[in-house]
Amino acid sequence: MRADEDVVDQKKYLEDACKPKCVKPLIEYEACKKRIEGDESGHKHCTGQYFDYLSCIDKCVAPKLFAKLK
């Protein structure tokens, strides 16, 4: 890489490529959001489903990302 080249964050591109592989956790998260839509108390949340989705993406991205690091 030359000094005048901009560094591109590969993680964003890898995450986008991994999202189709994590459809099931995304569907579960979206279903949870829909279930709690009218909750005014603030006690209901979908944190677990959200982290399951992010974990799926991270597990897909990690091996590819670390292979690109110098």
Side-chain angles (χ1 to χ4, degrees):
M1 180 161 73
R2 297 186 335 226
D4 61 341
E5 289 180 0
D6 288 334
V7 177
V8 177
D9 184 7
Q10 294 296 310
K11 186 175 184 244
K12 174 75 175 130
Y13 297 111
L14 292 172
E15 286 175 342
D16 289 342
C18 284
K19 284 180 182 179
K21 297 176 182 172
C22 297
V23 172
K24 185 178 179 207
L26 177 61
I27 290 171
E28 291 172 3
Y29 172 62
E30 294 293 335
C32 179
K33 283 189 349 184
K34 193 169 193 162
R35 271 195 315 272
I36 67 166
E37 223 168 51
D39 177 40
E40 298 294 326
S41 69
H43 294 294
K44 297 179 183 178
H45 58 81
C46 298
T47 305
Q49 291 84 351
Y50 181 69
F51 283 127
D52 288 345
Y53 176 59
L54 291 181
S55 176
C56 177
I57 292 173
D58 286 345
K59 286 178 185 174
C60 174
V61 167
K64 298 170 187 158
L65 181 62
F66 285 109
K68 291 181 180 281
L69 296 178
K70 291 183 180 182

